[in-house]
Amino acid sequence: MFKICFAILLLALSHVTTANAQGVLLGGTIKAKADGAPVEYATVMLKECELWAITDSKGRFAIKNVPTGNVTLTVRCLGFATYTAALNIKAGMPSLNIALNADNLKLNEVEVVAKRKADVGTTSYTIDRLALDNRQALNLGDIMSLLPGGKTWNSSLLRDTRIALRSSGGEMGNASFGTAIEVDGVRLDNNATPGETLGAGTRTLSTANIESVEVVTGVPSVEYGDLSNGVVKVNTRRGKSPFIVEAKLNQNTRQVALSKGIDLGGKWGLFNFSMEHARTFGDITSPYTAYQRNVLSAHYMHVLMRHSMPLTLNIGLTGNVGGYNSKADPDRELDDYVKESDNRFAANLSAEWLLNRKWLTSVKLHSSVSYATKLYEHYGNTSAAATHAYIHTMEEGYFVAYDYAANPNANIILGPTGYWYVRSYNDSKPLSYALKLKADWVKRFARIYNKVLVGLDFTGSTNRGQGTYYEEARLTPTWRPYRYHELPTLNNLALYAEERLNLPTGKLSNMELTVGLRNDISSIAGSAYGTASTLSPRANLRYVFWHDRDTWMRSLSAHVGWGKSVKLPSFQVLYPSTNYIDRLAFTPGSTADNKAYYAYHTYPSQALYNAHLQWQYTSQVDVGLQANIGGTQINLSAFYHKTFNPYMAVAAYKPYTYKYTSQTALEGFAIPSANRQYHIDQQTGVVTVSDLTGANGPIQLPYTERQGYLSNRKYENGSPTQRFGIEWMVDFAPIKALRTSLRLDGNYYYYKGLDQVLFAAMPTASGTLNAQGKPYTLIGHYRGSNNTSASSTSSPSVGNGSLSKEANLNITLTTHIPRIRIIMALRVECSLYNYDRTLCELPNTTRGYVVEKGDNYFGTPYTRDARDKHVVVYPEYYSTWDAPEKLIPFAEKFAWAKDNDPALFNDLAKMVVRTNYAFMMNPNNLSAYYSANFSVTKELGDRVQLMFYANNFWNTMSRVRSTRTGQETSLYGSSYVPSFYYGLGLKVKI
């Protein structure tokens, strides 16, 4: 793969002349417009040639060897509004004197909504600090409500939000797992969390220290890997600033924060720190059970060789100590409680060197480490009138229960009777690290800018936790250890190359083409999957037809992109825990003191290796259009995502025979029950009874042989899922007389997931017996499951997928009066169309049957037109214990058995799954509904800012009608709109 990347680089170089004319020196001074003071640590960027500089203590900057021609200059600095200007670089350029406006409400253009990023070749949105404050974001996941068509929910730390871009809940394809989140370049990695295939939680991140967020929903650069559903990039505060004290308050949350950017003076650099405390409780009447976070962040930046070849060093440290605790709640049930520590530490070091040489423009090295400790403690009561067998063996074979006092190390112990408490823990310590190196080469020949980017990433994920364990061995219920720290490390090496061409095609038009290829090489130690390699090609094309034209259509541009994004599997897939199948092998009955010395046969069921398992990936198509018509800015985006190879779990069955000794073997037994001691041979399963008094010799008990199945989990690739949609933002020309602007944003979203994988399953009813009263031994092979998570094995269901469609519209009216430094926003969120239904279908064949009554087995083929009908689904095949490999067509045999073999018919009928209610397969179309939010931000001079917001401020009690049930439901207290919720905010600069 390295040869491929190197070939791409050589191809790019072949298009560019090696001659390099002497460039121009561009220098100048950056000052504050308010008082003329020089602005230090302002970043001056030339977009097209990607050259940059950072101002010194006198506000001066210098960029050498700038190619002649038109460029876009951008100046950014914490506390100031971004400055952008078009320059024509030529020999003898005068020194630039730029004055920056303070970033406050005195500016004429202030926005409290997400903005479409206009200068990139894919769909991307930016959310600045004011928009976050206006939203009163407590959790990073709250930004989802700011995207086109997004809906507000009341922010809470009790919910560990997982971000899933261009997706909705309850879908196949693991959308949140494929959404990447990075904070200052540090990836929030959830690969090493056993037991789940979900995206990283976000509630440990301090929102008070966020300066801006970029959300890439389109096709990202090949620089970003280990994703399949977009990337969220968080930038924290960096730069000189006064002390900033922030406080936010609502019915359920308290949040306070302090931050400052300190100029260390001279040649010592810049230091930023931030402290935040946030606490959320679920019930205002009992605010003891709560989740809290305490975050301390520090960042150091230093620029060496500032006026020649600037080398920028960045060091960042972030720590959070927090978690959930219900122990102090006097209203909790009995003495039960739950405590959960949720601590996280992250560090990063980066060095970016602007060489600006003929053969190399810049080099960046970035390293990071992230470590979390998550300790879940549960203290709960339990009770029993008779003893229960607590099985702890990790070996295969037969084992009998013993009293804990007699044999505390027994494979099976008898639990206590009466009333007692059990304390359990789950200890997870995910650790991830990354080392990234990239270099770019930007050159101009004629009017064409060419950028070649090459890089490599080395990342690793592991977990140092102990897993689940219990405080007292004698009270430990059936359980086996699964030690996370014994699992290997998942390492990934990625090589990538990307070329971007910027070609002017006219005076006001240009074309930008980006093409890249990424190769991920995953080393899966300690696993049969070994080393796997995947390729991710991506391309984006953006065409600017014209811009800044003095006509009714001032600007027009379009983009189109296609790419493949691969998501590495989680530890749940690579290193699944061993399941244990415990079959009752001996039932001696209870003694006079309610003790029952049961015996079990145990089989450790390990997940099977699947040689055909492929890594999950998404094929993305992204199309967009941007136009400015008479001052109205229009942004349209359309996308089509098809996720291939989503991870799913199925069961594989293997027939086996085990020995069973019933209580009848002890009838008329010579040894009194009080003097009996039971033993069972681990290999043969033969039970022997000894007489504790020695009066009788050991006696072997008779047994019967039972047939059963051993099952193993196996991870498969599910069927592809499809998502497509349209997103729009329309910002109308401001009404200057009223200082008011209007935005319409919304989306149309379509999802279809239809599983067609053939999987095996047994009837789920506990203790299912066949027609002869023996354990059930038939296996059904079903086509398609409705399971949306890889955390559980696929099970039979009437549905094998779902279809959903929705259309949302948000109307935001913003009034901004710079003179009195106030901004008010009214946002009406409308759900215009909300449709979903369960699917039960297969291409070119029948999957389900409509029956007239809920207990019928035969009917007519099901189609989507059926309404208020019960539906039954057969397995496609079934197999027997004697011939497990022979798949027998079910429907034909079932119909035959109805008239010819009642016993077989009864056995086969147990494999038929059916709807519980007649309306379950009806489509569900909710009537339109809406709610409204209000927010206001007022500045008192340059030091104080006050904020207020109210979600669903009129506390709507409208009703929505469901076509599935025909019933109406009130919006009050529902999940469709947020409950009435309000909060205050205060920010003070000292």
Side-chain angles (χ1 to χ4, degrees):
M1 179 53 208
F2 180 78
K3 294 180 179 179
I4 297 176
C5 296
F6 189 67
I8 293 176
L9 175 60
L10 292 178
L11 179 63
L13 295 179
S14 66
H15 292 294
V16 183
T17 178
T18 57
N20 183 40
Q22 185 66 34
V24 176
L25 173 64
L26 179 65
T29 304
I30 310 295
K31 296 182 178 181
K33 189 173 183 179
D35 57 9
V39 177
E40 190 177 7
Y41 293 107
T43 301
V44 182
M45 170 69 74
L46 301 179
K47 176 182 177 294
E48 288 77 7
C49 52
E50 298 202 11
L51 300 177
W52 48 270
I54 296 178
T55 57
D56 60 17
S57 59
K58 296 182 180 180
R60 299 174 302 186
F61 72 91
I63 304 177
K64 298 180 178 179
N65 297 326
V66 179
T68 59
N70 296 324
V71 296
T72 304
L73 179 140
T74 302
V75 182
R76 291 187 175 90
C77 187
L78 182 66
F80 293 91
T82 299
Y83 174 89
T84 303
L87 297 179
N88 183 16
I89 304 297
K90 53 187 177 181
M93 283 285 294
S95 178
L96 301 178
N97 293 302
I98 299 173
L100 299 182
N101 288 306
D103 189 9
N104 55 41
L105 295 183
K106 291 172 67 176
L107 297 174
N108 288 323
E109 295 183 5
V110 175
E111 297 185 41
V112 292
V113 291
K115 293 174 285 188
R116 171 73 167 82
K117 200 169 182 181
D119 58 350
V120 293
T122 192
T123 303
S124 179
Y125 302 96
T126 57
I127 302 169
D128 62 17
R129 183 69 243 177
L130 184 58
L132 292 172
D133 286 337
N134 183 74
R135 173 61 178 86
Q136 294 283 286
L138 178 66
N139 190 313
L140 179 64
D142 296 341
I143 66 170
M144 295 294 291
S145 64
L146 298 173
L147 300 180
K151 293 292 177 280
T152 299
W153 59 83
N154 295 326
S155 186
S156 172
L157 294 178
L158 296 175
R159 179 179 59 248
D160 194 10
T161 304
R162 314 297 177 102
I163 296 177
L165 298 177
R166 287 179 166 173
S167 179
S168 188
E171 297 179 350
M172 301 175 179
N174 311 310
S176 71
F177 187 56
T179 300
I181 302 174
E182 294 189 352
V183 181
D184 291 334
V186 180
R187 177 70 61 91
L188 299 187
D189 188 338
N190 204 41
N191 290 343
T193 302
E196 66 178 35
T197 305
L198 297 172
T202 57
R203 62 180 172 180
T204 60
L205 300 178
S206 169
T207 53
N209 194 39
I210 296 176
E211 182 62 21
S212 66
V213 181
E214 181 181 354
V215 182
V216 182
T217 57
V219 181
S221 164
V222 293
E223 181 181 347
Y224 300 98
D226 193 16
L227 52 81
S228 60
N229 211 46
V231 58
V232 177
K233 297 185 287 186
V234 179
N235 302 304
T236 60
R237 286 174 174 162
R238 296 184 181 184
K240 185 178 178 181
S241 71
F243 280 103
I244 302 176
V245 181
E246 300 178 67
K248 295 177 182 177
L249 172 69
N250 59 44
Q251 293 104 305
N252 296 85
T253 300
R254 312 288 184 265
Q255 182 183 18
V256 293
L258 172 68
S259 64
K260 181 173 176 57
I262 305 171
D263 183 358
L264 300 178
K267 300 180 180 179
W268 295 103
L270 183 69
F271 179 73
N272 285 86
F273 76 88
S274 172
M275 297 183 292
E276 184 212 64
H277 167 76
R279 186 173 187 270
T280 292
F281 45 86
D283 186 355
I284 193 172
T285 63
S286 183
Y288 299 97
T289 297
Y291 180 95
Q292 66 175 343
R293 70 175 179 225
N294 301 280
V295 183
L296 174 62
S297 300
H299 177 263
Y300 174 75
M301 182 178 75
H302 190 34
V303 184
L304 305 173
M305 302 178 288
R306 195 180 306 232
H307 296 296
S308 55
M309 293 187 298
L311 173 63
T312 304
L313 301 177
N314 287 282
I315 302 174
L317 299 172
T318 299
N320 170 68
V321 177
Y324 176 86
N325 189 357
S326 67
K327 186 175 182 179
D329 191 345
D331 300 320
R332 71 184 188 274
E333 180 183 0
L334 302 176
D335 290 326
D336 295 11
Y337 67 84
V338 170
K339 292 174 64 177
E340 182 180 4
S341 65
D342 196 1
N343 308 324
R344 178 176 176 268
F345 171 79
N348 65 89
L349 169 65
S350 68
E352 187 171 9
W353 194 7
L354 179 63
L355 297 169
N356 197 9
R357 291 295 185 259
K358 294 180 180 181
W359 46 274
L360 189 61
T361 302
S362 66
V363 177
K364 184 173 183 179
L365 176 68
H366 184 276
S367 60
S368 64
V369 62
S370 178
Y371 178 68
T373 60
K374 300 182 179 183
L375 181 64
Y376 176 88
E377 176 187 350
H378 178 264
Y379 186 71
N381 69 87
T382 187
S383 62
T387 59
H388 293 274
Y390 290 168
I391 309 172
H392 300 149
T393 179
M394 299 176 66
E395 300 178 55
E396 183 177 357
Y398 296 88
F399 302 92
V400 71
Y402 289 89
D403 288 312
Y404 179 80
N407 187 359
N409 297 318
N411 289 293
I412 304 178
I413 63 172
L414 290 183
T417 58
Y419 185 91
W420 68 96
Y421 281 87
V422 177
R423 193 189 312 273
S424 63
Y425 300 89
N426 181 268
D427 176 40
S428 180
K429 297 176 180 178
L431 170 67
S432 62
Y433 49 85
L435 179 64
K436 303 179 180 182
L437 176 65
K438 65 177 181 179
D440 60 38
W441 186 65
V442 182
K443 286 298 174 183
R444 178 180 177 182
F445 60 101
R447 299 174 61 198
I448 301 174
Y449 277 101
N450 180 79
K451 175 185 177 181
V452 175
L453 171 68
V454 293
L456 62 88
D457 299 347
F458 179 76
T459 59
S461 303
T462 188
N463 196 306
R464 309 311 301 165
Q466 297 185 52
T468 299
Y469 59 95
Y470 289 81
E471 182 181 49
E472 294 187 58
R474 71 182 184 90
L475 302 179
T476 301
T478 296
W479 159 86
R480 279 83 168 193
Y482 175 56
R483 304 302 185 194
Y484 300 163
H485 61 81
E486 295 177 356
L487 302 177
T489 299
L490 170 63
N491 289 312
N492 186 74
L493 175 65
L495 306 171
Y496 60 86
E498 185 176 80
E499 182 174 14
R500 188 179 70 205
L501 291 174
N502 192 317
L503 172 64
T505 57
K507 187 175 181 181
L508 299 176
S509 62
N510 71 286
M511 181 184 72
E512 184 178 292
L513 174 64
T514 304
V515 179
L517 181 65
R518 180 183 180 94
N519 181 207
D520 286 282
I521 305 170
S522 304
S523 175
I524 310 168
S527 169
Y529 293 104
T531 299
S533 177
T534 58
L535 293 176
S536 299
R538 300 173 199 167
N540 285 295
L541 173 65
R542 177 172 177 258
Y543 193 88
V544 178
F545 296 93
W546 60 82
H547 63 89
D548 299 328
R549 194 170 71 169
D550 189 15
T551 183
W552 66 276
M553 182 176 285
R554 299 177 185 176
S555 63
L556 178 64
S557 64
H559 76 264
V560 60
W562 172 85
K564 175 184 175 183
S565 300
V566 179
K567 181 69 187 80
L568 301 180
S570 67
F571 272 34
Q572 182 185 51
V573 175
L574 297 176
Y575 309 115
S577 60
T578 301
N579 294 325
Y580 292 85
I581 300 173
D582 301 309
R583 292 283 172 80
L584 187 62
F586 175 48
T587 55
S590 298
T591 62
D593 54 355
N594 286 329
K595 293 184 178 179
Y597 296 91
Y598 292 115
Y600 288 83
H601 177 267
T602 294
Y603 172 71
S605 173
Q606 297 182 340
L608 300 177
Y609 167 65
N610 182 0
H612 303 290
L613 187 71
Q614 301 293 315
W615 285 183
Q616 175 179 317
Y617 73 92
T618 298
S619 177
Q620 298 173 268
V621 176
D622 183 64
V623 180
L625 179 71
Q626 294 179 278
N628 188 306
I629 303 175
T632 296
Q633 184 66 39
I634 301 173
N635 296 284
L636 295 175
S637 293
F639 66 91
Y640 176 77
H641 291 181
K642 191 168 185 178
T643 300
F644 295 87
N645 306 325
Y647 306 117
M648 63 180 294
V650 300
Y653 293 91
K654 180 175 66 174
Y656 88 117
T657 301
Y658 66 99
K659 295 181 176 65
Y660 175 75
T661 304
S662 69
Q663 188 175 349
T664 58
L666 296 170
E667 292 180 359
F669 207 62
I671 302 174
S673 61
N675 299 334
R676 299 171 186 168
Q677 185 175 35
Y678 302 106
H679 304 273
I680 191 168
D681 187 278
Q682 181 179 349
Q683 303 300 324
T684 66
V686 175
V687 178
T688 302
V689 184
S690 302
D691 190 336
L692 294 176
T693 66
N696 297 282
I699 302 174
Q700 288 188 355
L701 299 182
Y703 59 83
T704 60
E705 290 193 344
R706 283 187 171 182
Q707 296 175 340
Y709 288 96
L710 301 174
S711 65
N712 296 80
R713 177 175 293 196
K714 184 179 181 181
Y715 286 95
E716 297 272 5
N717 293 122
S719 301
T721 63
Q722 300 178 67
R723 300 177 177 88
F724 67 78
I726 302 173
E727 302 165 345
W728 62 87
M729 285 181 172
V730 181
D731 292 290
F732 291 92
I735 307 173
K736 295 183 179 180
L738 301 178
R739 295 198 174 272
T740 298
S741 59
L742 173 66
R743 162 178 281 199
L744 301 179
D745 71 77
N747 71 325
Y748 171 79
Y749 175 72
Y750 172 97
Y751 160 82
K752 182 180 179 182
L754 189 68
D755 184 41
Q756 302 176 45
V757 173
L758 186 68
F759 67 94
M762 293 187 68
T764 56
S766 177
T768 301
L769 301 177
N770 62 17
Q772 289 76 36
K774 298 179 179 180
Y776 196 83
T777 57
L778 298 181
I779 298 293
H781 298 264
Y782 299 81
R783 180 74 65 179
S785 167
N786 208 20
N787 197 355
T788 60
S789 171
S791 300
S792 58
T793 54
S794 297
S795 58
S797 60
V798 173
N800 66 323
S802 63
L803 172 68
S804 63
K805 296 179 281 188
E806 62 182 73
N808 302 290
L809 175 66
N810 298 325
I811 306 170
T812 305
L813 198 66
T814 305
T815 299
H816 172 221
I817 308 175
R819 180 174 298 179
I820 60 174
R821 302 175 74 155
I822 192 172
I823 187 168
M824 297 172 288
L826 172 65
R827 176 181 167 104
V828 180
E829 300 179 347
C830 310
S831 176
L832 305 178
Y833 180 59
N834 193 322
Y835 173 94
D836 71 272
R837 71 174 304 156
T838 301
L839 298 179
C840 177
E841 57 194 43
L842 292 170
N844 306 318
T845 188
T846 299
R847 186 176 185 274
Y849 297 89
V850 174
V851 294
E852 290 301 322
K853 296 181 180 180
D855 56 355
N856 288 355
Y857 289 98
F858 298 94
T860 58
Y862 168 78
T863 65
R864 294 190 192 181
D865 298 328
R867 297 290 185 273
D868 296 315
K869 297 292 185 180
H870 283 280
V871 179
V872 298
V873 169
Y874 304 155
E876 189 170 322
Y877 306 97
Y878 76 96
S879 59
T880 64
W881 189 90
D882 297 311
E885 302 299 326
K886 182 181 178 181
L887 300 183
I888 305 170
F890 181 91
E892 179 182 344
K893 196 70 173 181
F894 190 46
W896 175 87
K898 179 178 181 294
D899 299 321
N900 300 282
D901 192 340
L904 177 60
F905 177 80
N906 289 332
D907 285 346
L908 295 178
K910 291 179 172 62
M911 288 190 280
V912 177
V913 292
R914 63 180 68 246
T915 55
N916 294 326
Y917 303 99
F919 63 80
M920 290 183 63
M921 296 303 291
N922 292 349
N924 189 32
N925 194 349
L926 291 178
S927 56
Y929 58 90
Y930 58 92
S931 66
N933 308 326
F934 175 76
S935 64
V936 58
T937 300
K938 176 71 172 75
E939 289 181 347
L940 304 177
D942 294 332
R943 301 282 181 179
V944 179
Q945 185 181 82
L946 300 174
M947 294 160 283
F948 170 80
Y949 77 95
N951 294 338
N952 189 14
F953 67 87
W954 65 46
N955 201 15
T956 179
M957 296 188 181
S958 300
R959 303 178 72 82
V960 292
R961 184 179 184 276
S962 166
T963 60
R964 173 171 294 159
T965 62
Q967 296 180 346
E968 289 189 349
T969 305
S970 174
L971 290 175
Y972 180 79
S974 73
S975 60
Y976 299 126
V977 298
S979 59
F980 172 59
Y981 207 71
Y982 58 90
L984 297 170
L986 171 67
K987 182 184 294 186
V988 179
K989 298 179 181 180
I990 303 174

